[in-house]
Each structure stands twice: as structure tokens, then as C-alpha cells.
Amino acid sequence: MAERSCLSFMSINEENASVSSLCSVESGSSFCACKFCGSKFLKTTSQCQNITVHTVTQFSPSPVISCTESVPQGANISQITVDTEHGQSQSSNQSTSSTVLRDVHISANLMEDFLELAKDNTEKDLETCGTLGAFLKNGTFYVTTLIIPKQECTSNSCQATNDEEIFSIQNEQSLFPVGWIHTHPSQKCFMSSVDLHTHYSCQVMIPEAFAIVMAPTDTSRSYGIFRLSDPGGMGVLKECQEQGFHPHEETTDGSPIYEHCSNVYTNSNLRFEIFDLR
């Protein structure tokens, strides 16, 4: 139940925030390199297949680990849907475009790689959170950056700190903060009241903003990709002044406060970077 503020604002009417180098495809042999950052390193050699890890120092005050994932040619784009009968997320190859929201593409490996980075915290029953940055091209958001900030974590909360480091990366690469991701290490896959307030500050700026919840111990649903219902959930959160964990009122139109995102797709040909600022 990550507790953090939405980190930046950009006008989504401009489509010049393109980072073409981040969505290109690298052909040829795979390259794997792991470097140390102090006494900590990102992944072992066996775990680092098809991932290039390098140290980035321009984001002061501390060094940053950056992980660039490259994928093979031949993109497979799949809509992420939900199995309402069993409560499980699954992938569907039938593409449906929304008439209201722009489509969002994420890497097929994004969630798995985030879980690997969160593994140490998960084993200690501590949450982990990250911010997702995207560029906008031809009416579609492409998530190309996962930023894992310095953070204060408990078993049911995660507070990002040092927001200026996140601003630096987003501004340098002209990224839209279209989403965020966090773990529920020992809880079910759902959006808590704290999560809903965190996400409201994102979705009120960018309607396509989404939240990914990773729940590795939930046997019925290991992950979910959510957004506030609009206008129902957005109206409830706009009027709510409560803090901490608390119940919310029913929506005026009877809809759930939050819902599964129907406009998010996995893209097997999308390359992305991971900045671990911890």
C-alpha cells in the first residue's frame, strides 16, 4: 500500500516527448554486464541474461544503478485483461482500442523484473514501490522507464523519499509519469485506501495513469493493473479528506471505486530502463 506523491506534471497535449532510443530493438548477440554500486549489486550473472547493467553517476548526489533491457525482434502486443470469474489477470491477444483513454504499452518483462528487484524486501515482508515513465507517440504511451526511488517501507506501506532524484530522470528524458508499481508482499491483490489516494493524485493529472499491484503470495491473483473509475471513484477520492487506512463512501453511480485497466497492453518488443536509486 504505497504512500507517495505523484511526482511530476507535463502537458499531455504535446507528443514531442519521444525517446526513440529507448524503444529501439537491439539485434545480434546478447550482452550481459553486472557492476557493483558500493557493496550492493543488481543481479547475479545467471540472473542478468539479456540485461545490460551500468552505473549512472549524473543523477547526484549518489550513484545510480541503471538496467537496460533489450528484447528480440518480432513484437507481440497483448491486451491485459481480467478473469472476473476466478479473479486472475490473464493476457488476451484480441486488441480492443478505447474510445476514451489512450492505449498504454508496457514491456512484457516489466513486472517480473520489478519482483526480482523487490525480492529482498518481499522476503522481509516489506513493500517496494516504483514509478513508471513513458513517452507519448501517435496517441500511445510507451512505458520505457522504471524508477525505484529511495524509500521507507513497512509490511503495509511504502513512502518514496528524495523526490528530486526522480524529477531529474523524468525531466532529463521528457517522461510522463503514467503509472506506478508496488508490492503487497503478504497481502491480497487489491488497492488499499492509501493506494487509492496515492493514485488519485496521478490520475487527476493524466487520465491514463495506472497502478500495478504485485501480490506474490496471493494464490488467486498475483497481480492487478488498476485505475480509479471515472467519474465514480474519482469523485469519491476528490471529496475524501481522510488520511491513513479508512473506508470510503459508495460511488454516486454505483460503480466500484477502482477497476481493471482495459487500455494497458504488454509489448514484447519494448525496451526499457530500470533506475534503482536505493
Side-chain angles (χ1 to χ4, degrees):
M1 297 151 187
E3 185 176 356
R4 49 176 292 278
S5 59
C6 202
L7 298 168
S8 71
F9 175 81
M10 295 181 183
S11 171
I12 61 175
N13 291 325
E14 299 180 3
E15 295 195 7
N16 58 357
S18 173
V19 189
S20 58
S21 62
L22 295 181
C23 65
S24 63
V25 178
E26 292 184 350
S27 59
S29 59
S30 300
F31 174 73
C32 174
C34 291
K35 293 188 178 181
F36 290 87
C37 179
S39 60
K40 178 176 68 174
F41 68 95
L42 186 61
K43 290 190 177 184
T44 64
T45 302
S46 62
Q47 295 170 321
C48 206
Q49 188 175 17
N50 290 329
I51 296 179
T52 302
V53 181
H54 52 94
T55 302
V56 180
T57 58
Q58 65 265 34
F59 301 109
S60 60
S62 60
V64 177
I65 293 179
S66 174
C67 172
T68 303
E69 171 118 5
S70 57
V71 294
Q73 296 185 16
N76 179 29
I77 301 174
S78 302
Q79 184 184 20
I80 301 175
T81 60
V82 63
D83 183 345
T84 55
E85 180 180 356
H86 300 96
Q88 295 177 321
S89 292
Q90 61 183 13
S91 179
S92 170
N93 289 323
Q94 294 183 350
S95 174
T96 57
S97 60
S98 171
T99 58
V100 177
L101 300 174
R102 295 174 174 91
D103 288 341
V104 180
H105 287 203
I106 65 174
S107 168
N109 297 323
L110 172 63
M111 291 183 283
E112 179 182 349
D113 286 350
F114 175 74
L115 272 185
E116 180 63 34
L117 291 168
K119 184 177 179 181
D120 288 345
N121 275 358
T122 301
E123 291 176 347
K124 299 173 185 176
D125 195 23
L126 297 175
E127 289 195 1
T128 306
C129 66
T131 298
L132 303 174
F135 72 89
L136 180 63
K137 185 175 182 180
N138 297 329
T140 298
F141 284 107
Y142 295 91
V143 175
T144 55
T145 305
L146 165 61
I147 305 171
I148 304 179
K150 293 181 177 66
Q151 51 197 267
E152 299 175 354
C153 309
T154 71
S155 61
N156 60 10
S157 68
C158 186
Q159 174 68 52
T161 61
N162 293 64
D163 287 354
E164 66 277 3
E165 293 184 343
I166 306 175
F167 281 126
S168 178
I169 297 174
Q170 291 177 335
N171 293 334
E172 176 70 22
Q173 301 192 24
S174 299
L175 298 172
F176 296 98
V178 296
W180 58 294
I181 183 170
H182 76 288
T183 57
H184 283 183
S186 58
Q187 301 185 64
K188 296 290 186 180
C189 182
F190 71 105
M191 292 279 281
S192 72
S193 57
V194 174
D195 295 339
L196 296 176
H197 280 272
T198 297
H199 189 67
Y200 174 79
S201 63
C202 299
Q203 192 172 323
V204 74
M205 294 191 301
I206 301 179
E208 291 82 4
F210 61 96
I212 302 178
V213 179
M214 304 298 299
T217 61
D218 189 339
T219 57
S220 63
R221 183 176 187 172
S222 60
Y223 71 90
I225 303 180
F226 305 115
R227 67 184 302 273
L228 293 171
S229 60
D230 192 8
M234 291 292 287
V236 171
L237 269 295
K238 180 180 180 180
E239 299 300 325
C240 181
Q241 302 299 317
E242 297 288 336
Q243 297 182 351
F245 299 106
H246 57 275
H248 281 112
E249 297 180 359
E250 297 291 330
T251 60
T252 56
D253 59 6
S255 64
I257 291 182
Y258 66 95
E259 60 193 10
H260 178 82
C261 288
S262 60
N263 64 315
V264 178
Y265 298 80
T266 59
N267 187 332
S268 66
N269 218 26
L270 186 60
R271 181 185 174 199
F272 73 102
E273 285 187 313
I274 301 173
F275 292 90
D276 192 344
L277 310 181
R278 294 173 296 175

